[in-house]
Amino acid sequence: MAVGQVVARALVAALAATWVITGLGGLAAAASGDLDLEAVARRLAAPATQKSALEELQDATDPGVERLLRALKDGALYTFKGRLVLLGDDGGLTDVAGHPVVDAQGQPVQLESGQEAVALDESLFGVVQRILERFEVFSDDKAKRQSAAFKLGTSGDPSALGVLAKALEREADRDVRVVMEDALAKLRLRSADPKDRLAAVKRLGASSSEAAVPLLKALVEQETDPAVKAAAQAALRDIDTFVVRRNIVGYLFNGVSLAAVLLVMSLGLAVTFGLMGIINMAHGEMLMIGSYTAFVVQEAFQARLAAYQDYYFFVALPLAFLAAGLVGLVLELGVIRFLYGRPLETLIVTWGAGMILQQGARLYFGDQTSVNSPTWFRGGLEPLTGLIFPWSRIFIVGLAVAALGALWFLLNRTYAGMKVRAVMQNRAMAACLGVSTRKVDAVTFALGTALAGVAGCALALIGTVDPEVGKTYIVDSFMVVVLGGVGKLVGTVVAAVCIGLSNKLIEPAIGGTAAAIYAKVAVLVIVIWFLQWRPTGLFAQRGRAAAETA
């Protein structure tokens, strides 16, 4: 009898130990990082322990738990011959560790028809979803990790501290670490320990976290500890100072970016209007031709060379130069050369030509299309937190500088440039010296329109492509050329920078949805006032126009 009792007690003890190891013991091990997925699955499958099992998985970081919870949520967790298995999208079964389930012959097994999945209590769907969202801080995708960390930080849920701390330990990316540290600091603002709150406030102030401003303001109103309250107020002042500095840098960059766009656009006008004295009202449509060239080349690559889609812009840029230049050459040979010395007729004719080009583009392409930037143009440089300089705009700034340098070299360091300057300054004398003035006129006009085509191709990266795209910049471009001093490249650069910066600095000062329009009006008024005082612009006028107006 005694022996029987001992044996019975030993069996009970063994069963209890087994239950503890495979049941609660498994979850206890989860906390220590040695997770028993079989035990977790059994508890999740049992309605009586499902809720408590989920509560104990709040800090879980094992990818196997994520897989298990997704299967439970999606109805893909099944019981198969006494064990729990997961049904994959391909119909195959895997065990909780992710290994394929096979029969004795090593062949994949299938579920029996009509078998029901393990049910998840309806009231626990939200709990499972929250746990799954926390797993995104361990995602392979950097953007997902950043987004998940930010959400956890603003959730105000202290139970997320453990997951964030574990994610921070594993994180190697500097940018993601910053977001995670900020998220931890936001959650620790609710800590009962004043030292934790003080450290969190200092962290958020040092990182200039703009997203933490509402939390810090709430803390200032509710905080009872004087040191924490003073630190929170100081952090708010630091963040305000940072935001002002960041906005100023952003406005300056936007001004430089707009100046670059105006400069590329105005370089062509500086040639046709500044040097030749031709008021080409179709200059905006030359820009439009450049934009549509980029669109057509992109479509051609997409249809024929999809594997090289990212390189279409290298083909589009020179083609835009050639296409706009060719149209300009035809316009000069067909119309403008018969109207030299008749500015009013030239203005009307080029305006009409521009209308024809606009309507032609509208009939063929429709009202609006767009160009997708190559993938290496996406994203940007982040000099300050929350301030991004897009690569596409940085490229346009570089393109403007390159175009300016090339034009300056062509006009001042080449024989062809010397002939252009000779014809523009004294046509009769240049002709007497054997220079073909008609040929120079045609090529110079084509060069001016070709530069507008380059501008249009670049602008397609940052805006839509439509028949009226040139109208957006044509007035500002004429202002740049006139303000800078007709025929002066230096003046064109200075005027483009002045107008670009003025626009972007006046806009935030005015505020509101119509700020851009009012800013343009204000700049126009300033330019008119300046020209009343200095009619020759910033730099003295030279060239044929100067001779004709003298």
Side-chain angles (χ1 to χ4, degrees):
M1 182 65 182
V3 174
Q5 287 179 339
V6 170
V7 171
R9 288 175 181 175
L11 288 172
V12 170
L15 289 172
T18 302
W19 179 79
V20 168
I21 292 172
T22 59
L24 290 177
L27 291 187
S32 64
D34 185 14
L35 190 65
D36 186 342
L37 290 175
E38 287 286 348
V40 174
R42 278 195 292 275
R43 295 204 67 209
L44 289 173
T49 57
Q50 199 170 67
K51 182 177 181 180
S52 59
L54 288 173
E55 290 173 351
E56 293 168 15
L57 291 174
Q58 297 285 335
D59 294 337
T61 59
D62 192 321
V65 174
E66 181 185 10
R67 188 171 58 251
L68 193 56
L69 291 179
R70 288 198 186 281
L72 178 63
K73 175 172 169 285
D74 297 340
L77 182 63
Y78 289 86
T79 301
F80 179 76
K81 294 183 179 179
R83 57 191 298 199
L84 288 161
V85 296
L86 282 65
L87 179 64
D89 294 336
D90 58 354
L93 296 179
T94 59
D95 61 17
V96 293
H99 303 129
V101 179
V102 295
D103 57 18
Q105 289 72 39
Q107 297 301 315
V109 298
Q110 299 291 328
L111 290 171
E112 296 177 1
S113 177
Q115 185 170 345
E116 293 187 1
V118 173
L120 172 63
D121 191 286
E122 189 175 344
S123 64
L124 298 177
F125 269 97
V127 178
V128 173
Q129 183 62 32
R130 283 197 296 275
I131 297 174
L132 288 174
E133 287 175 354
R134 293 182 180 187
F135 273 101
E136 290 189 356
V137 294
F138 303 103
S139 169
D140 293 333
D141 188 330
K142 175 183 173 180
K144 283 187 177 179
R145 297 201 302 276
Q146 283 182 309
S147 176
F150 183 82
K151 287 180 182 176
L152 290 176
T154 54
S155 68
D157 184 2
S159 66
L161 278 168
V163 173
L164 273 173
K166 290 176 182 175
L168 182 61
E169 289 176 3
R170 302 179 185 181
E171 187 58 57
D173 187 279
R174 187 178 65 86
D175 295 337
V176 182
R177 285 186 67 85
V178 170
V179 177
M180 288 182 173
E181 287 169 354
D182 283 353
L184 280 169
K186 289 174 191 171
L187 294 178
R188 284 170 180 158
L189 288 177
R190 299 171 182 268
S191 171
D193 187 347
K195 291 182 179 178
D196 282 350
R197 296 201 300 276
L198 183 61
V201 166
K202 289 182 177 178
R203 162 68 201 176
L204 294 173
S207 65
S208 302
S209 174
E210 196 174 357
V213 169
L215 298 175
L216 290 172
K217 287 182 176 177
L219 184 68
V220 169
E221 293 178 359
Q222 302 167 2
E223 182 60 53
T224 55
D225 188 288
V228 177
K229 189 169 186 174
Q233 290 170 334
L236 284 171
R237 287 194 296 272
D238 291 344
I239 294 173
D240 286 342
T241 304
F242 169 78
V243 170
V244 171
R245 187 170 69 247
R246 186 187 64 187
N247 288 343
I248 291 174
V249 174
Y251 297 147
L252 291 175
F253 175 77
N254 289 337
V256 171
S257 173
L258 178 59
V261 172
L262 293 178
L263 179 58
V264 176
M265 181 74 175
S266 304
L267 285 176
L269 273 181
V271 173
T272 57
F273 179 56
L275 292 179
M276 302 178 69
I278 298 172
I279 304 174
N280 179 17
M281 294 302 291
H283 195 75
E285 281 61 49
M286 302 302 155
L287 180 144
M288 176 199 74
I289 290 172
S291 295
Y292 276 115
T293 302
F295 173 73
V296 170
V297 174
Q298 173 198 255
E299 294 297 304
F301 266 67
Q302 194 169 0
R304 304 287 182 185
L305 300 167
Y308 303 97
Q309 183 71 23
D310 273 349
Y311 302 100
Y312 80 88
F313 196 77
F314 292 117
V315 178
L317 196 60
L319 280 183
F321 180 87
L322 294 175
L326 183 61
V327 174
L329 183 63
V330 171
L331 187 62
E332 200 278 341
L333 293 175
V335 180
I336 293 177
R337 76 166 33 196
F338 304 107
L339 300 174
Y340 282 131
R342 297 158 64 187
L344 181 59
E345 287 86 342
T346 306
L347 185 150
I348 294 172
V349 167
T350 54
W351 179 74
M355 293 291 289
I356 293 171
L357 291 172
Q358 269 191 38
Q359 295 307 318
R362 181 171 283 110
L363 285 172
Y364 190 80
F365 294 103
D367 284 335
Q368 193 175 81
T369 53
S370 62
V371 169
N372 296 321
S373 299
T375 55
W376 34 272
F377 267 151
R378 296 169 191 170
L381 183 67
E382 188 173 10
L384 295 171
T385 304
L387 177 64
I388 296 176
F389 294 169
W391 290 122
S392 54
R393 289 190 175 274
I394 293 174
F395 169 77
I396 292 176
V397 173
L399 180 65
V401 174
L404 175 66
L407 184 60
W408 179 88
F409 182 82
L410 176 66
L411 292 177
N412 297 282
R413 290 291 184 271
T414 65
Y415 183 66
M418 186 178 67
K419 288 199 292 187
V420 170
R421 286 185 288 125
V423 172
M424 300 313 148
Q425 290 175 13
N426 194 320
R427 169 183 289 271
M429 182 59 71
C432 289
L433 295 174
V435 177
S436 175
T437 56
R438 287 197 169 189
K439 185 177 179 182
V440 170
D441 284 340
V443 174
T444 306
F445 188 83
L447 174 63
T449 56
L451 288 170
V454 172
C457 187
L459 286 175
L461 294 173
I462 59 175
T464 58
V465 178
D466 61 75
E468 298 185 357
V469 64
K471 285 185 177 179
T472 309
Y473 298 99
I474 189 66
V475 175
D476 285 344
S477 300
F478 270 110
M479 276 200 299
V480 166
V481 175
V482 174
L483 178 64
V486 180
K488 298 293 292 184
L489 286 183
V490 174
T492 303
V493 176
V494 175
V497 173
C498 289
I499 291 178
L501 289 177
S502 300
N503 264 296
K504 293 305 175 184
L505 292 176
I506 291 174
E507 277 182 26
I510 295 174
T513 54
I517 297 173
Y518 290 129
K520 281 184 179 291
V521 172
V523 170
L524 180 61
V525 170
I526 293 171
V527 170
I528 291 173
W529 171 82
F530 181 82
L531 292 177
Q532 291 290 321
W533 171 61
R534 192 181 173 88
T536 57
L538 293 169
F539 295 85
Q541 182 183 9
R542 290 183 182 177
R544 188 188 307 173
E548 291 174 352
T549 56

